Structure formats: structure tokens, C-alpha cells
């Protein structure tokens, strides 16, 4: 971002983000000001990103999930996110258009970045999601999905996969489009994230 140090959000970036996210000009400007304050370098580190996530989930442990989210948005793998990557991350993890969101979710679950998802990778992300669900809420989960292992089995069964099979991006997206239950199982209730983001802004 050429002018990330100047303190003002460039017109081009503003238009780009308005087009590609659900945020208004006012919201983006406010986000940018707080981003500049917290990250004067114009980049946010993994630790800072984890800190922001932690503030959304004071009664849980979102560190592992935040690391996976960070990895999935650090497009050039330089260990930092610029403002655009950061806003796209917030947008996609709290709302986002379905296809965009599914492509991002595939990247999130493809932990080793090899273009396919294994059952082990699903379990790794599901465990990270469970760390963010407070113990009280975990008690209310259905019997067949109240542990990371059970939820992973359920997801894998929905995709019709055997233990050592792999999921391609096409299969992943198609499977979710055909079965909304999978979408519910692979994500952490985004409404809670949205509510907390709103609370932070007011």
C-alpha cells in the first residue's frame, strides 16, 4: 500500500474495499484509523492479529483459530497483513459472499497448502474452533458433534469420504452447496463474531 504511512485511506483502496466487502465508507475509514493507531507500520503481525481475535472472545481461547485465519490471509506469506488483507479477513470471517467465503474456507482447512484437505486437517481446524466455544455452550451441542473428533467424523461422512481420502476444492465447495449442515459444522458461529465486531465499533 504505497501511502499506508500517510494516515489517510487512499481513494483507490477505499473504492476497492467498498466493492469487495460489506463495509461502508464510514466504517472503513474508522477501521483504518484504528488500524493505523495500533499498527503504525501499516502492517499487522500474527501476534497483533491474535490479540484482536482474543478481544472478540474473552471467555475462550481463539489463538489456534486466529493463527489459521491469519495463515489463510497472509497471501505472500511474509508474516504480516496489510490493511486490505486485514479487512478482507474480517469481512470473510464475519460475512462474505458465499462463493468467496467457501473458497476462503477451503484455504483455511487446507492447512499444509497442498491443494487438498485430509481428515487430519479437518480435525486440526475443528479443534481450534472448539477452543473458541465456551464450556457452557459445548454442553448444549448435539451428542454426535460435541467433541472435535465426533464433529470431524460427521463432516467427513457428509462428504462421503473414507478415512484416508482427500477432498479437492471442487468437492469441498460442491459438498457444502449441496448440504447446508456441512457449512454449519465447519464454521464457528459467525454471528457471534459479527456482534462482537459491532460492539467494538460503538
Amino acid at each position: 500500500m504505497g501511502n499506508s504511512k500517510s494516515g489517510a485511506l487512499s481513494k483507490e483502496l477505499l473504492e476497492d474495499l467498498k466493492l469487495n466487502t460489506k463495509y461502508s465508507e464510514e466504517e472503513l475509514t474508522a477501521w483504518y484509523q484504528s488500524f493505523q493507531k495500533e499498527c503504525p507500520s501499516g502492517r499487522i503481525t500474527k501476534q497483533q492479529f491474535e490479540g484482536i481475535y482474543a478481544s472478540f472472545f474473552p471467555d475462550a481461547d481463539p489463538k489456534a483459530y486466529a493463527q489459521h485465519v491469519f495463515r489463510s490471509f497472509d497471501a505472500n506469506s511474509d508474516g504480516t497483513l496489510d490493511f486490505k488483507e486485514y479487512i478482507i479477513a474480517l469481512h470473510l470471517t464475519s460475512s462474505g459472499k458465499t462463493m468467496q467465503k467457501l473458497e476462503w474456507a477451503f484455504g483455511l482447512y487446507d492447512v499444509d497448502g497442498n491443494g487438498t484437505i485430509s481428515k487430519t486437517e479437518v480435525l486440526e481446524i475443528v479443534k481450534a474452533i472448539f477452543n473458541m466455544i465456551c464450556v457452557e455452550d459445548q454442553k448444549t451441542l448435539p451428542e454426535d458433534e460435541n467433541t472435535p473428533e465426533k464433529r470431524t467424523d460427521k463432516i467427513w461422512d457428509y462428504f462421503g469420504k473414507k478415512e484416508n481420502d482427500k477432498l479437492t476444492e471442487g468437492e469441498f465447495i460442491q459438498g457444502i452447496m449441496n448440504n447446508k449442515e456441512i457449512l454449519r459444522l465447519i464454521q464457528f458461529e459467525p454471528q457471534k463474531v459479527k456482534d462482537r465486531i459491532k460492539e467494538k465499533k460503538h
Side-chain angles (χ1 to χ4, degrees), residues 95-131:
S95 65
K97 295 186 190 116
T98 304
M99 192 49 79
Q100 262 186 323
K101 192 168 190 168
L102 295 182
E103 287 167 359
W104 165 71
F106 180 81
L108 179 72
Y109 275 82
D110 181 12
V111 176
D112 63 9
N114 72 350
T116 61
I117 296 173
S118 68
K119 189 173 181 183
T120 312
E121 288 173 313
V122 173
L123 180 60
E124 187 172 335
I125 303 294
V126 171
K127 278 181 175 169
I129 289 172
F130 263 74
N131 288 345

Side-chain angles (χ1 to χ4, degrees), residues 16-48:
D16 185 17
L17 289 171
K18 269 163 57 182
L19 206 62
N20 290 299
T21 71
K22 63 179 174 35
Y23 302 123
S24 68
E25 189 161 332
E26 294 70 35
E27 286 175 312
L28 288 165
T29 305
W31 278 115
Y32 189 70
Q33 283 162 353
S34 75
F35 183 84
Q36 287 290 94
K37 211 179 298 167
E38 288 176 43
C39 315
S41 69
R43 323 262 329 161
I44 187 167
T45 65
K46 190 194 283 185
Q47 286 69 31
Q48 288 169 312

Side-chain angles (χ1 to χ4, degrees), residues 102-188:
L102 295 182
E103 287 167 359
W104 165 71
F106 180 81
L108 179 72
Y109 275 82
D110 181 12
V111 176
D112 63 9
N114 72 350
T116 61
I117 296 173
S118 68
K119 189 173 181 183
T120 312
E121 288 173 313
V122 173
L123 180 60
E124 187 172 335
I125 303 294
V126 171
K127 278 181 175 169
I129 289 172
F130 263 74
N131 288 345
M132 297 198 303
I133 306 174
C134 70
V135 178
E136 282 310 301
D137 287 351
Q138 284 189 34
K139 288 178 187 162
T140 66
L141 292 171
E143 176 62 35
D144 64 347
E145 58 185 73
N146 62 4
T147 69
E149 291 72 18
K150 286 183 191 172
R151 183 174 281 202
T152 299
D153 285 342
K154 197 171 177 178
I155 292 167
W156 213 237
D157 288 347
Y158 273 137
F159 279 116
K161 292 291 181 184
K162 294 190 182 71
E163 195 68 26
N164 296 314
D165 285 349
K166 299 267 193 267
L167 261 179
T168 64
E169 184 173 14
E171 290 173 320
F172 180 80
I173 290 172
Q174 201 53 55
I176 293 170
M177 303 280 256
N178 294 343
N179 190 334
K180 289 288 177 269
E181 271 297 285
I182 300 177
L183 185 60
R184 180 183 67 76
L185 290 168
I186 65 161
Q187 63 187 0
F188 177 69

